Amino acid sequence: MAIFPKFRTLAGAGVLASAALLAFACAKRPASSGLLSADAAKAVYVAPGQLDEFYAFMSGGFNGQVGVYGLPSGRRLKTIPVFSQYPENGYGYSEETKAMLNTSYGFIPWDDTHHPALSQTNGEDDGRWLFINGNNTPRIARIDLTRFETEEILEIPNAGGNHGSPFVTQNSEYVVASTRFSVPVPNTDVPIADFKKRFKGQISFIRADEPGKMRVAFQMLMPAFNYDLARAGKGQSNGWMFLSMYNTEQANSLLEVNASQNDKDFVAAVNWKAIEACAQKGVLKNVAADYVHNFTDEFTREAKSTTLTSVPQFEAKQCPGAVYFMPTPKSPHGADVDPTGEFIVAGGKLASVIPVHSFPKMLKAIEDKAFEGEIEGIPVLKYEATLAGEVKNPGLGPLHTEFDGKGYAYTSFFISSEVVKWKLGTWEVVDRAPTYYSVGHLMIPGGGTMKPNAKYLVAMNKITKDRYLPTGPELTQSAQLYDISGDKMKLLLDFPTEGEPHYAQAIEAKKIKDRQVKFFKLAESKAPHVTRSEKETGLNRDGRKVHVRMTAVRSHFSPDNIEGVQVGDTVLFHITNLEQDWDVPHGFAIMGAQNGELLIMPGETRTLKWIPRKAGVYPMYCTDFCSALHQEMQGYVRVSAPGSGVALSGVTSRGPQSAKAAGAPKQ
């Protein structure tokens, strides 16, 4: 970045810093015995029949899902499938849910989730929705928290590595996503050596305040840096978004060395209300782009995909006042805003201080044009002009900061394996607590909002050597629960997690638990293959396709014996769960299926596609224990050779049933 020679350091400084951090990390770990007391055990004990105080939603990392845990117990309650197929309930396998995993690259049955974000009203978590990012194939999902189901997924065009998302504005007007990997825009075949000329970063503002209608409202092209984390402004800074970025060197190889040269990278301060004003003046241009929007209808329970062909886009320099760069010590990760909206904290992973920027001072610097220069038309503010203060020598490897609403901040330190508590305004460290080990993100319920609930802090750790029983080459990921209600942090609990939890959100259970959907009303179902009673069951053949309209109820399927299916037929089992009671799902599986099972909620219709490859008799059964006669909930499908004369029929409680409309099988 020749424009800023004072930001350069000697070549190799990043390597030296990394070596120092590595040496610290390899030092002897602190002893882990004696941490828990009877008082700590009592504090996390949730007695039989009692409920946890908080829901915690943890990203599943490389499993592509969201894990739901109770706090303070640490008990796993559920996995919500989002971007990956999930055999437990047939998500991504059943015909109704497959479309949720459609993208412009085709059917993608996996992704990498990092940052859950609860919807907000007036700067407070409201418990309506949870958003989560897909990092690998850039996507954002919306989860409905009355059903704990993924109801909507929007692909993000012109992105590579959707790491910096989704971050929610004060009233859920937008969720914001930034691209980790800058890519050519539009993405085409160019030499990687042309990185600085041909590659672009981008920040997308996605309208998200109406279910089923997520859309990219505007996409701002940015310099080809690596964009990381963000927080929306709140209170006095509402209308702004603050994003961290690294690799301002614009390196494209050996980033651990080449992206650690500058003394400072940036936090981008984005004025999205100014962008809205620019949009009204016609700055946005609809640019060709192919991407996919998936949505599940509440009443049909079917997912549909729509391919979108353009995105509203502009370059940052086309909207003066839209974005400013605030220099920040090198390689920042978090960009966190305190509950008042006054302070923006950015921890440089290779820095020895935690810088705190002041929103009022930033506005004054903009007014005074206190600029170091500009990059691609974006003004760079002077570091001292926006600085509120620095937390000196807090630890090694600061990553992420959350707030308790009582004037204190808590920062995770990856290298020194600790959480450090410090005071806003004086910037003094007042407490520190070890983690076991190498903490990444941390979470306080509501810690990124205007109204934190400062009872607990959860540290999400990357390494767990000596913490749990060994499980082969890979050990479980871990979270640790701390009591932060007093002056000093107290470790209460370790609990293992699924996948790699990068970040989490927690909310008071009372905001969610009484709004749960307990069953789907059969009378309101608009599923195309719904069967509301056993009288409506039936079979029909359409060439080589066989439709089976089936019901499930405690404790039988109807029909339970089917004949007349032929080798190579595509059999579609459309199964309706007739139950109208809470927590009575039924499962369905058949031998030889090459996809998954179904788990059908009360009042729901789900479809399993099955193609038999060999003649024979195939058992089918309920996979979810539903009654004392669960084992008796079974049946058979007889498969005959192609062209056989066996009539298509089934057996119901009313006796044998022939196909309603039989056509000649097509060979």
Side-chain angles (χ1 to χ4, degrees):
M1 205 161 57
I3 185 171
F4 296 115
K6 68 188 250 182
F7 286 177
R8 291 199 302 269
T9 62
L10 294 175
V15 177
L16 294 174
S18 298
L21 297 180
L22 182 61
F24 188 97
C26 292
K28 183 179 179 181
R29 305 278 190 191
S32 59
S33 61
L35 283 171
L36 298 182
S37 67
D39 288 341
K42 183 178 179 180
V44 300
Y45 179 65
V46 178
Q50 299 300 306
L51 304 179
D52 278 290
E53 185 179 355
F54 294 90
Y55 286 102
F57 301 96
M58 294 190 175
S59 68
F62 40 69
N63 73 15
Q65 319 291 35
V66 170
V68 185
Y69 297 80
L71 295 181
S73 72
R75 298 181 297 198
R76 175 183 169 273
L77 305 176
K78 186 178 179 67
T79 296
I80 304 173
V82 185
F83 297 114
S84 299
Q85 290 176 301
Y86 191 57
E88 181 177 306
N89 65 3
Y91 179 85
Y93 293 104
S94 68
E95 297 305 297
E96 289 83 3
T97 61
K98 282 181 180 178
M100 292 300 288
L101 302 181
N102 288 340
T103 75
S104 62
Y105 303 94
F107 180 82
I108 304 292
W110 170 86
D111 216 307
D112 180 18
T113 57
H114 280 229
H115 305 121
L118 288 160
S119 57
Q120 294 184 20
T121 301
N122 297 325
E124 183 178 0
D125 293 331
D126 58 28
R128 291 178 295 166
W129 310 311
L130 182 77
F131 300 96
I132 186 78
N133 64 322
N135 186 28
N136 185 60
T137 302
R139 290 173 281 179
I140 287 178
R142 180 206 306 269
I143 296 167
D144 185 311
L145 292 179
T146 67
R147 306 192 307 269
F148 281 58
E149 287 183 345
T150 302
E151 70 171 5
E152 187 172 10
I153 295 177
L154 178 68
E155 187 179 356
I156 303 172
N158 301 315
N162 178 41
H163 180 261
S165 81
F167 299 98
V168 180
T169 56
Q170 183 172 304
N171 284 292
S172 302
E173 301 96 336
Y174 299 103
V175 291
V176 177
S178 58
T179 186
R180 173 181 171 186
F181 308 111
S182 293
V183 293
V185 178
N187 203 341
T188 188
D189 179 14
V190 300
I192 298 174
D194 288 348
F195 185 92
K196 293 183 180 181
K197 295 179 181 178
R198 303 292 299 274
F199 286 54
K200 284 288 185 182
Q202 58 92 345
I203 302 170
S204 293
F205 282 73
I206 294 157
R207 200 75 195 186
D209 53 353
E210 192 173 355
K213 297 183 179 180
M214 286 174 64
R215 59 183 175 85
V216 180
F218 44 86
Q219 188 174 81
M220 180 168 61
L221 296 184
M222 297 284 287
F225 302 154
N226 290 54
Y227 297 83
D228 207 349
L229 302 184
R231 280 285 191 217
K234 52 182 75 79
Q236 61 185 280
S237 55
N238 184 31
W240 291 76
M241 179 67 65
F242 302 93
L243 304 95
S244 66
M245 63 193 71
Y246 60 98
N247 189 24
T248 52
E249 299 84 353
Q250 295 185 303
N252 58 70
S253 177
L254 297 175
L255 263 62
E256 64 178 322
V257 176
N258 295 324
S260 301
Q261 303 301 302
N262 294 334
D263 283 335
K264 291 182 173 64
D265 290 303
F266 299 123
V267 167
V270 179
N271 187 339
W272 56 262
K273 289 190 176 180
I275 297 173
E276 289 181 332
C278 284
Q280 292 178 353
K281 296 177 181 178
V283 71
L284 299 182
K285 182 184 295 184
N286 282 322
V287 177
D290 288 329
Y291 56 110
V292 173
H293 176 235
N294 307 320
F295 175 65
T296 296
D297 184 272
E298 178 182 358
F299 297 103
T300 67
R301 308 286 297 134
E302 284 191 312
K304 302 290 186 183
S305 293
T306 302
T307 298
L308 306 173
T309 57
S310 67
V311 62
Q313 191 181 87
F314 70 104
E315 292 198 40
K317 64 184 178 183
Q318 294 176 291
C319 183
V323 58
Y324 299 89
F325 287 150
M326 293 191 291
T328 291
K330 63 171 62 182
S331 298
H333 190 53
D336 301 295
V337 181
D338 84 302
T340 70
E342 179 180 358
F343 298 120
I344 303 102
V345 180
K349 298 192 296 287
L350 301 180
S352 60
V353 299
I354 300 174
V356 184
H357 299 279
S358 162
F359 180 72
K361 291 186 73 172
M362 184 197 82
L363 293 182
K364 184 68 165 56
I366 292 170
E367 180 183 356
D368 294 344
K369 299 188 185 303
F371 302 147
E372 290 276 3
E374 65 176 39
I375 299 175
E376 296 185 21
I378 300 171
V380 179
L381 299 168
K382 293 180 179 179
Y383 179 61
E384 295 79 8
T386 67
L387 191 68
E390 294 177 332
V391 183
K392 304 288 188 181
N393 301 315
L396 292 177
L399 289 182
H400 172 220
T401 300
E402 297 225 334
F403 307 90
D404 63 7
K406 301 175 183 178
Y408 294 96
Y410 299 74
T411 300
S412 59
F413 286 82
F414 178 79
I415 300 300
S416 51
S417 291
E418 60 184 332
V419 176
V420 172
K421 177 181 178 181
W422 50 275
K423 187 171 179 59
L424 290 163
T426 67
W427 326 122
E428 60 182 320
V429 172
V430 297
D431 191 25
R432 57 181 73 235
T435 61
Y436 303 96
Y437 305 98
S438 299
V439 58
H441 281 278
L442 48 75
M443 177 272 291
I444 294 171
T449 73
M450 297 178 72
K451 295 184 178 180
N453 187 324
K455 188 170 185 178
Y456 300 116
L457 179 147
V458 176
M460 284 146 278
N461 306 326
K462 305 299 184 184
I463 297 173
T464 60
K465 288 182 173 66
D466 77 24
R467 303 303 293 175
Y468 301 102
L469 287 171
T471 51
E474 182 189 19
L475 303 180
T476 183
Q477 304 288 330
S478 174
Q480 291 184 302
L481 182 74
Y482 294 80
D483 180 343
I484 60 168
S485 60
D487 292 336
K488 298 295 183 181
M489 293 177 279
K490 298 177 182 178
L491 177 62
L492 299 178
L493 179 70
D494 285 18
F495 59 97
T497 61
E498 279 193 290
E500 182 188 1
H502 289 263
Y503 183 48
Q505 294 265 268
I507 188 171
E508 296 93 335
K510 64 185 179 182
K511 290 187 176 182
I512 295 179
K513 70 181 182 66
D514 294 333
R515 296 169 47 233
Q516 296 303 294
V517 171
K518 296 185 176 181
F519 56 86
F520 298 101
K521 296 178 182 178
L522 271 173
E524 295 179 356
S525 174
K526 296 180 181 178
H529 301 287
V530 63
T531 304
R532 292 185 172 86
S533 72
E534 291 191 26
K535 293 181 180 179
E536 297 180 10
T537 59
L539 306 90
N540 73 281
R541 175 182 286 281
D542 180 11
R544 297 306 305 271
K545 187 176 289 186
V546 174
H547 293 272
V548 180
R549 292 163 61 91
M550 180 183 286
T551 59
V553 70
R554 286 168 285 187
S555 297
H556 65 276
F557 293 112
S558 182
D560 61 1
N561 285 340
I562 298 168
E563 300 191 31
V565 172
Q566 299 180 13
V567 172
D569 280 346
T570 296
V571 183
L572 295 165
F573 295 96
H574 310 292
I575 306 167
T576 300
N577 181 345
L578 296 181
E579 310 284 356
Q580 293 288 268
D581 196 4
W582 194 15
D583 195 31
V584 193
H586 289 296
F588 178 81
I590 186 166
M591 188 169 72
Q594 295 181 330
N595 37 33
E597 65 151 5
L598 298 178
L599 193 62
I600 313 148
M601 297 299 114
E604 184 177 53
T605 301
R606 283 284 182 254
T607 300
L608 181 74
K609 182 169 75 173
W610 178 62
I611 302 175
R613 305 296 181 183
K614 296 186 293 185
V617 177
Y618 293 80
M620 58 185 184
Y621 67 102
C622 176
T623 54
D624 191 312
F625 193 93
C626 55
S627 72
L629 297 179
H630 166 71
Q631 288 291 97
E632 283 76 7
M633 194 167 175
Q634 65 175 58
Y636 295 97
V637 177
R638 175 187 173 190
V639 177
S640 303
S644 68
V646 179
L648 184 63
S649 65
V651 176
T652 72
S653 59
R654 296 176 289 118
Q657 184 181 43
S658 298
K660 292 181 179 178
K666 297 176 183 178
Q667 302 301 316

